[in-house]
Amino acid sequence: MYKKIGTVVLSSFLAVSLAACGSTNNNSPGTESGASNKPVETDGATTPAKNDKKTKIVYWTGDRHDMDYIKEVVQSFNETNPGNIEVEMVVKTDDYDQAIDLAFASGQAPDLFRVKENTIKTYVTKGYLAPIDGLMTEQMKQQFPVIQDFNQIDGKMYSLPNYGSTLRLVYNKDLFAKAGIAAPPTSLAEMVDAAKKITEVGKADGAYGFAQNFKNADSAFGRSARVIAEVSGYGGFGYDFKTGRFDFAGFKEIIQSFKQMYDDGSTLPGMESLDIDPLRAQFAEGKLGMYISFSSEPGVYKNQFPAKIDWAAAPVPTIDGTVKGASSFLGGQWLALSSSSKNQEAAWKFMEYMYGDEILKTYHEKGFGISMVPSISAVAAKPDINGIEGFLPNDNDATWPLSPAVTIEGIKYNDAFFKYMLGDGDLDAIIQDLNKRYNAALDKAIASGDVTTVAKPDFDPTKLGAN
Amino acid sequence: MNKARQMGFSYLFLFPSLLLTVVLGIYPLGWAIRYMFYDYKGYGEARFTGLYNFRRLLADTQYWDSVVNTFIYAGGKLIVTIPLCLLLAVILNQKLKGRNLLRAIYFMPTIISSAVMAVVFFIIFNSYNGVLNQYLLKFHIISERIDWLGPKNAMMTTIIIAIWGAVGNYMLLFLAGLQNIPNDVYESASLDGANKRQQFWYLTIPMLGPVLQIVIMLAIINSLKGYETIMVLTEGGPIGKTEVMYLYVYKLFFPTPSSGAVVDQQFGYGSAVGFTTAVIVGIITLVYHVLSNRMNKMQ
């Protein structure tokens, strides 16, 4: 009898606890998103005293480099805004794009969030963003440049520019001097030669001429081959805007030069599996002569890996030493409103505040990013950060139009080029195969209506003029 | 009546896990099976393409390379892990001083996150300032740095890390199996004059049979499915040398962000590849199960 009672009690207990487990599990995606809705980096700074009448909005960003400053801005908005709006700032640095998808899929999207040049158009197609044309004042319309496909999509504005990124050759001045090289290379041949000379004088101390972050070939070539192609007059992603077709022939000499440096032994050993941060760490230690990257590097060498060397940035080399195209100035967008926000008006108030002159000016001057807003860059002082001089936009920095996104069957061009670099193969045949497959994918995308392309025979890569 | 109540209880207990299986297992599977026949990017219109994704899969050399890589990875891992775990379990089953501490040490890798493990191993194995190369050079074992994560050695390195991560887990299962073998069997074998080696081959191994069978099956499935450490350590590179099946599938669903280019997710094709991969793993497990059962019966 006792045994029976014991069994019943135990069973009931187990049933209740299992049900509890079940409900925990069923709720887990919500709980997780709910938890992530809480400010990751807030310590009370962005959430003032509780008040029931406050309109609460959530702001997500994937940017870590400007976090402390933006936190201050959010706090000041929370304390001073007359509309009793309270902003919760969420900094998500890992898998930000996936977190956004998940948040929209589970109906827990932020009210406004950071968008980038390679996500804004997709987000518009996915229906995540609300147009802001009706909210913008006349003054704002005058102040912020419209950049096709990067903030204005299908005739509607979805975001406004704040800062942009330029691409440069980052070089170690000490190693260049030691190798007797007077100036940073301006052509591929000079780059190959410089890498060789630096390795000759540096190898004994573990220093090498050149490196790329090949842990991810897209990321490596996306910051190097891409911009060399652009300044040489070719589309950085293999798309020829003149013909409206893909043609990777422009990459031939660039990839050959990269292979030459690899075969010469002028590249950092182990770069085949190198991520960008370990590469930067080696550069900061003086073990690397040069590499190509974005204008975020000065911040990295100030905060993340304090550089122990004298370094600078210079325009990237072109194929033959002659500039035939603009160097990418990436950006054109920063914040965007969520289409599913229930407090769009409050979210816009905060967005307007974030785009205030003083905030954008300070952002530029503190060196978090180079302003893309002409009225700001005209009055702002030079950013207070070592190494930024070389990254500041010049006449040849401009935004290239958006290359069409296509779904490739088989190996992608960056992987194919990297494979060629490490082994042998017929580069012409590889390029031919890439052209064939990329154009087939383009035709398919056009046929399905996902992409519309127009050949622009008079497209001039030297006259992109976003500045 | 009693029987009916008993059945009622059984169903009551089964219900929560059944519900979870349906919601988190069967529903997503049904979803994937549906989209195998579609061209779908995760948004917009899903276009029915019939068997096109499977035709594409047949010609996808990157995928079939990843299948070969998975077999090399799983094979290399299993060949070393299983005998090593068994040996360690037998040693640590004896009355040794500090055996509990040793068991804990060997088991520790199992509870460490595989992502953290991968980062630590990168610090050890990277060729330009990795700890391993530094020591090998210091003790004059090598004269040139070895590129442990380069195209030639990356697979071997990932296998070594996988072995390190798996040893504790399977050792513990073997240990549990060994502790179930009664001591009297060994005592009578000793009386009959069997030495330690004979006892191992003719007593331990046969009596451990059922555990061994399950452990090997789990090890096969885990090795074929494992990709987390590789994803953090090499992302499947260099040039796809460590790309395994499930990492390839993962990348179709969640492509790694590139510098600037717009990257689309491939839910339709990813579902087709994922399903095919699951079938491959299922067939291998089934073949092993049938073969090991047949061997059991023969004995």
Side-chain angles (χ1 to χ4, degrees), chain A residues 416-417 420 424-435 437:
Chain A
F417 286 149
Y420 165 77
D424 287 313
D426 182 350
L427 190 52
D428 287 319
I430 292 169
I431 289 171
Q432 236 174 5
D433 169 58
L434 288 171
N435 289 348
R437 284 188 295 114

Side-chain angles (χ1 to χ4, degrees), chain A residues 222-245:
Chain A
R223 71 181 73 214
S224 61
R226 170 254 190 97
V227 67
I228 299 177
E230 285 170 347
V231 291
S232 305
Y234 301 102
F237 299 102
Y239 180 73
D240 185 344
F241 292 93
K242 282 184 187 167
T243 59
R245 307 294 292 166

Side-chain angles (χ1 to χ4, degrees), chain B residues 145-176:
Chain B
R145 285 188 174 90
I146 296 176
D147 194 359
W148 295 106
L149 298 170
K152 279 184 195 151
N153 301 320
M155 179 53 92
M156 184 186 71
T157 307
T158 50
I159 291 173
I160 292 172
I161 298 168
I163 292 166
W164 180 85
V167 160
N169 194 17
Y170 300 125
M171 178 201 76
L172 201 74
L173 294 174
F174 282 140
L175 212 50

Side-chain angles (χ1 to χ4, degrees), chain A residues 26-70:
Chain A
N26 285 340
N27 284 340
S28 62
T31 317
E32 203 181 313
S33 305
S36 56
N37 271 344
K38 282 178 189 144
V40 173
E41 292 299 335
T42 46
D43 41 18
T46 57
T47 42
K50 293 228 181 296
N51 182 334
D52 288 344
K53 288 175 187 170
K54 279 190 182 298
T55 311
K56 202 170 163 186
I57 59 165
V58 178
Y59 158 53
W60 278 22
T61 175
D63 288 340
R64 186 177 51 183
H65 70 286
D66 60 7
M67 195 171 69
D68 292 339
Y69 172 59
I70 297 297

Side-chain angles (χ1 to χ4, degrees), chain A residues 92-285:
Chain A
K92 282 187 160 291
T93 50
D94 290 324
D95 301 326
Y96 177 74
D97 298 350
Q98 284 164 27
I100 291 284
D101 279 335
L102 206 65
F104 274 93
S106 59
Q108 312 203 34
D111 297 283
L112 81 163
F113 57 104
R114 167 86 160 108
V115 289
K116 289 195 157 189
E117 65 276 352
N118 57 351
T119 55
I120 185 165
K121 200 169 178 185
T122 314
Y123 288 165
V124 170
T125 320
K126 288 182 180 181
Y128 292 177
L129 307 186
I132 55 170
D133 303 80
L135 301 163
M136 284 170 74
T137 60
E138 273 313 307
Q139 190 258 330
M140 286 179 102
K141 284 180 185 167
Q142 297 294 320
Q143 185 185 5
F144 293 96
V146 172
I147 307 176
Q148 223 31 260
D149 288 329
F150 293 104
N151 55 27
Q152 189 182 62
I153 291 143
D154 299 330
K156 288 180 187 162
M157 289 296 284
Y158 290 93
S159 183
L160 300 167
N162 168 18
Y163 71 94
S165 304
T166 55
L167 280 149
R168 294 291 186 264
L169 178 96
V170 184
Y171 67 102
N172 178 332
K173 285 162 92 172
D174 302 333
L175 280 176
F176 267 63
K178 196 175 169 188
I181 308 163
T186 57
S187 69
L188 289 176
E190 280 180 24
M191 183 171 74
V192 173
D193 189 48
K196 205 171 183 177
K197 282 181 179 156
I198 292 165
T199 310
E200 277 163 14
V201 297
K203 200 175 175 182
D205 305 318
Y208 293 81
F210 191 77
Q212 281 168 284
N213 53 318
F214 278 122
K215 185 174 182 184
N216 180 337
D218 280 340
S219 173
F221 286 135
R223 71 181 73 214
S224 61
R226 170 254 190 97
V227 67
I228 299 177
E230 285 170 347
V231 291
S232 305
Y234 301 102
F237 299 102
Y239 180 73
D240 185 344
F241 292 93
K242 282 184 187 167
T243 59
R245 307 294 292 166
F246 278 96
D247 184 2
F248 290 92
F251 281 76
K252 186 179 172 184
E253 287 168 84
I254 303 167
I255 303 303
Q256 275 173 335
S257 302
F258 287 158
K259 181 173 170 56
Q260 188 64 53
M261 288 192 281
Y262 182 75
D263 292 347
D264 288 346
S266 313
T267 52
L268 193 74
M271 80 165 176
E272 302 93 334
S273 52
L274 204 62
D275 216 343
I276 188 65
D277 272 346
L279 184 153
R280 288 162 166 161
Q282 291 305 301
F283 183 77
E285 290 291 323

